[in-house]
Amino acid sequence: MSGHWGILVSDPWLQNQFTQVELRSLKSQFVSMRRESGRLAVGDLASKMSRLKVVGENLSEEERASYIQDLYQNTSEEVDFELFLKVYLKLQSFASSRTGSNAKNSSAFLKAATTTLLHTISESEKASYVAHINNYLAGDEFLKKCLPIDSSTNDLFEIAKDGVLLCKLINVAVPRTIDERAINTKRLLNPWERNENHTLCLNSAKAIGCTVVNIGTQDLIEGRRHLVLGLISQIIKIQLLADLNLKKTPQLVELVSDSEGMEELMSLAPEKILLRWMNFHLKKSGYKKIVTNFSSDVRDAEAYAHLLNVLAPEYTNPSTLAVKNPYERAKLVLEHADKMGCERYITGRDIVEGSPNLNLAFVAHIFQHRNGLSTQAKQSSLLENLLDDTQDSREERAFRLWINSLGNSTYINNVFEDVRNGWVLLETLDKVSPGIVNWKIANKPPIKLPFKKVENCNQVVKIGKQLKFSLVNIAGNDIVQGYKKLILAYLWQLMRYNILQLLKNLRFHSHGKEITDADILRWANSRVSSSGSQSRMDSFKDKSVSDGIFFLELLSSVQPRAVNWGLVTKGITDQEKMMNATYIISIARKLGCSIFLLPEDITEVNQKMILTLTATIMYWFLKHPLEERTVGSSDSESGSQLETTSNSTLDEDSVSDSSAEENGSM
């Protein structure tokens, strides 16, 4: 910070938190507040800050007053500009924690990181995430030259600039998401290769459930701290909460008593299940309060003391609950956790200051290490319905991730539960076909009256019919009742409609004619044939494509340097097929394809997912001009096919303008 405005802020740390534009705006607000009463005291800030963005929108005056009182005992102290900024930053952090912990569908660790005016980062959180990275990636051969990272520096953001660390971290969170053969890991990457790594990273992050709507590859290449840390925090959160579902941890059934409770539990976000689990044990300990968030409700560390006494009574220290100072109690709690062998990256100060992200991480570590639930899960009918058809489960996952990637205001955790009020489907329809939803007759959650949910779902069905979906004998109430097959059928048609519309909008020479499944199939075969291959896909359920060779040839035909054929297997055994399938998905994402299928969808030839994969590759090809597809160099140290070809220009006849029979349709 320099110039006139920088002089007003002498604290170097504060200087780094604001741009000049932000500082001018806040200075103007500060001067206005002080002018109104002639003097601005700490006690005045709760009411005065109601006009500020984020702080005023997400916190009540009572909440602001209570939080400021905890921070500053002397409320009559006069406020200068620097103190004003410090209070604002703390309130902003508190506001984001309240939003994150109270919002049912909050999905991001650093929810405020990409949505607020100020691009601040928490040094405590940075230190915690660096420790996590140092621990989990310590044995990585490529990263050993830069690990361990020093959390007191900005080395994390420099190391993340080539994209390798972020890709590796995604694989720690959800193993085998990225085929590491697709990561560019030369010691010195050119700009094109760095961009490919970040494209692979962002598309893979979406595929595991991260919200990356406001993050681009350039943000990561430039090492923009708040965005890099926000993405890292989401990835780590997904890793820590991975076991908080009934399929991974069936013992969680102990938290419910009937089928209704089971349905409710299945619809909860993982962090809400973690709170449910925590309160389940706290009730056993005789703790009277209900913990509703990982911030203000745990700041005194009493809940932690009771929780650990239940989970690990052998390490109980009577002094923990006897001490009056919350900070001293927090330190004793952490000593208890250490004796249990829990990995933790939180300090006593983080607990007392109510850091929501670090407290959530701490509790998740405790759950992973010792959940205290019965090892013998209830052998009851409650769990019988849990073993859904594998195909339905995979499709639910693909549709859920696709919906969340659109940037809707509502983040869903379970398609079958979260779409039943119709709101999410209306939001998705509006993203796919802007303006098609009549919001005047839509009912926004929370919706208590059942008929209001039916009204929303009736509009969903009506719009579906308008878009020519096959919805014979389907009514809005069927969605409200949560009929899985009907919901999956609707979402498949919506997803397919979306990609076909995207293709139609790119095909200016199609004269407004609809793109069909048969057109996509014909295009794919034409591309592969033009590269000199004899491979062919007869339909989207052609079992011959299970070895992956056809799609590797398709990817190579649209981007000659994409595939390193030295890494491709013959695709004969199941293992070889799986290796090719994981490579296909990573290469497609590396190009820029946003896809949500699993390798099994290719090896088992799930025709719906095969169609979306083919259509997405086609969309990428048509969207990028020839020069963008022929720039760059090898994607690995061992080299790949570098030659370009005149065949990479679009064959105008490769997609028929005729309305041929859709032999590849669903």
Side-chain angles (χ1 to χ4, degrees), residues 332-491:
L332 292 172
V333 162
L334 294 178
E335 289 177 10
H336 194 157
D338 283 340
K339 291 175 182 177
M340 289 170 59
C342 288
E343 290 284 354
R344 52 97 178 172
Y345 313 112
I346 192 171
T347 66
R349 187 165 300 282
D350 295 327
I351 293 175
V352 173
E353 291 183 352
S355 171
N357 298 339
L358 298 184
N359 276 296
L360 183 150
F362 178 52
V363 179
H365 276 299
I366 294 171
F367 176 87
Q368 287 183 339
H369 189 75
R370 189 179 298 193
N371 62 40
L373 300 173
S374 171
T375 53
Q376 296 295 322
K378 291 181 182 178
Q379 298 300 315
S380 68
S381 58
L382 291 182
L383 281 173
E384 290 177 6
N385 295 329
L386 197 61
L387 301 176
D388 294 324
D389 179 80
T390 303
Q391 189 73 13
D392 284 359
S393 180
R394 287 216 301 265
E395 289 187 8
E396 183 276 337
R397 172 193 172 279
F399 296 144
R400 168 167 41 87
L401 294 170
W402 170 65
I403 290 171
N404 286 334
S405 76
L406 297 175
N408 292 336
S409 65
T410 307
Y411 187 93
I412 63 173
N413 298 286
N414 183 305
V415 163
F416 301 126
E417 294 299 321
D418 292 345
V419 305
R420 289 171 61 178
N421 64 15
W423 184 261
V424 171
L425 292 175
L426 289 173
E427 281 194 304
T428 305
L429 283 162
D430 195 55
K431 290 284 186 182
V432 170
S433 184
I436 202 166
V437 175
N438 183 352
W439 292 110
K440 292 180 180 179
I441 61 172
N443 303 294
K444 188 175 182 178
I447 306 172
K448 295 182 179 179
L449 299 175
F451 78 90
K452 294 288 187 181
K453 299 178 183 178
V454 174
E455 285 180 350
N456 280 353
C457 292
N458 280 342
Q459 186 178 179
V460 167
V461 173
K462 180 181 178 182
I463 294 173
K465 291 178 178 177
Q466 183 180 333
L467 297 177
K468 297 183 171 57
F469 293 178
S470 176
L471 300 172
V472 180
N473 297 323
I474 295 179
N477 193 51
D478 295 322
I479 298 174
V480 176
Q481 295 301 317
Y483 293 133
K484 294 182 178 180
K485 296 292 185 184
L486 296 181
I487 290 171
L488 289 177
Y490 189 98
L491 287 175

Side-chain angles (χ1 to χ4, degrees), residues 579-636:
M579 289 177 67
N580 284 350
T582 58
Y583 191 48
I584 289 165
I585 292 172
S586 290
I587 290 298
R589 287 176 179 150
K590 183 177 175 180
L591 285 182
C593 297
S594 182
I595 49 177
F596 304 99
L597 74 167
L598 292 170
E600 291 84 354
D601 292 318
I602 296 175
T603 60
E604 297 173 15
V605 193
N606 176 339
Q607 63 183 128
K608 294 177 182 177
M609 295 301 115
I610 293 292
L611 169 58
T612 59
L613 172 62
T614 311
T616 307
I617 296 172
M618 179 180 177
Y619 176 69
W620 179 88
F621 177 82
L622 296 179
K623 189 176 180 182
H624 292 79
L626 173 60
E627 58 270 19
E628 289 185 27
R629 290 184 264 116
T630 55
V631 174
S633 59
S634 170
D635 72 336
S636 71

Side-chain angles (χ1 to χ4, degrees), residues 507 514-516 519 522 652-660:
R507 293 283 295 169
E514 299 296 327
I515 299 293
T516 68
D519 291 330
R522 191 175 298 107
E652 294 291 330
D653 297 323
S654 64
V655 179
S656 172
D657 285 337
S658 66
S659 182

